[in-house]
Amino acid sequence: MPDAYAAPDSATGLDDELRSGDAYRDAGAEAVDDGDDDYNDDGNDDDDDIDDEGRRRAAKRRATSSSLSPAPAAPHPPPPHQHNDPSLFSQWQRMIENAISAIVSIRFSQVSAFDTEGPETSEASGFVVDKSAGFILTNRHVACAGPFVGEAIFHDHEEVDVFPVYRDPIHDFGVLKFDPSKIKFQPVTAVPLAPHLAKVGLEIRVVG
């Protein structure tokens, strides 16, 4: 009987222990769940902190780059020749047509600056500035200081001999002279010099 009586006590004790183990296991699971929740909460907080820090750094970089970037340049007004002014175009056209007949091509030969080289033959351009005196304005290197042989070819291909009469020591221009009476088949025209009209910003046309 004692053995039969002890069995229920042992079963009861075992049930108590099992129940205690279940309670312990349940408590451990709850603790683990609480730990996971705390971890997730802490992780979310850390992620929020990282996101806030990243946004602050990005805003700082944008502010720095905008402060260092150059300001946009103001648009420049179009040059005067780009204005669609028919009267201005007609004025230029008439002026060019009048100047073309005064422009000449110059073919010349001159000695070299060094005795080890032979004479040079080249071409240049110029324009008549005084038709009665027969003066042609050209570049300084054309009106050289040494022996010179050359001719000027006018607009209608008429040729006449020229020779240098002036070579400026400072500025890049020289003067050649021709005999106006040798021009037989066209009227000689000139573009008179007007240095008093020259000023900075003056619009020009280059022909030649």
Side-chain angles (χ1 to χ4, degrees), residues 164-187:
V165 294
Y166 179 74
R167 185 175 186 268
D168 194 86
I170 299 175
H171 303 288
D172 185 19
F173 73 88
V175 178
L176 304 178
K177 183 176 175 57
F178 69 97
D179 186 355
S181 63
K182 297 295 182 63
I183 304 298
K184 304 293 185 181
F185 304 104
Q186 76 166 42

Side-chain angles (χ1 to χ4, degrees), residues 124-143:
S125 62
F127 59 94
V128 180
V129 295
D130 190 330
K131 62 181 181 180
S132 59
F135 290 149
I136 297 174
L137 187 70
T138 186
N139 295 103
R140 180 174 62 178
H141 69 274
V142 179

Side-chain angles (χ1 to χ4, degrees), residues 13 23 41 56 72 98 108 150 185 207:
D41 293 340
R56 285 195 294 271
N98 294 333
F108 64 97
F185 304 104
V207 182

Side-chain angles (χ1 to χ4, degrees), residues 25-50:
R25 184 173 59 253
D26 293 339
E30 291 178 358
V32 171
D33 292 339
D34 293 340
D36 291 341
D37 293 338
D38 294 340
Y39 176 79
N40 291 333
D41 293 340
D42 295 339
N44 291 333
D45 293 340
D46 294 339
D47 291 342
D48 293 339
D49 294 340
I50 293 174

Side-chain angles (χ1 to χ4, degrees), residues 77-89 92 203 205:
H81 65 274
Q82 292 186 2
H83 295 297
N84 297 325
D85 188 351
S87 61
L88 181 61
F89 178 78
W92 275 116
E203 187 176 2
R205 294 288 191 275

Side-chain angles (χ1 to χ4, degrees), residues 58-180:
K60 185 177 180 181
R61 285 195 298 268
R62 287 194 296 270
T64 304
S65 62
S66 61
S67 62
L68 295 178
S69 59
H76 295 284
H81 65 274
Q82 292 186 2
H83 295 297
N84 297 325
D85 188 351
S87 61
L88 181 61
F89 178 78
S90 300
Q91 181 181 357
W92 275 116
Q93 194 66 26
R94 290 193 302 270
M95 186 178 300
I96 292 173
E97 289 176 355
N98 294 333
I100 283 178
S101 58
I103 297 173
V104 298
S105 296
I106 304 169
R107 186 169 55 241
F108 64 97
S109 297
Q110 59 185 5
V111 296
S112 176
F114 302 96
D115 57 2
T116 57
E117 298 179 3
E120 299 176 353
T121 300
S122 184
E123 294 183 358
S125 62
F127 59 94
V128 180
V129 295
D130 190 330
K131 62 181 181 180
S132 59
F135 290 149
I136 297 174
L137 187 70
T138 186
N139 295 103
R140 180 174 62 178
H141 69 274
V142 179
C144 64
F148 174 95
V149 176
E151 57 270 346
I153 301 95
F154 282 78
H155 185 59
D156 67 344
H157 304 288
E158 192 169 359
E159 299 181 7
V160 64
D161 293 335
V162 294
F163 57 92
V165 294
Y166 179 74
R167 185 175 186 268
D168 194 86
I170 299 175
H171 303 288
D172 185 19
F173 73 88
V175 178
L176 304 178
K177 183 176 175 57
F178 69 97
D179 186 355

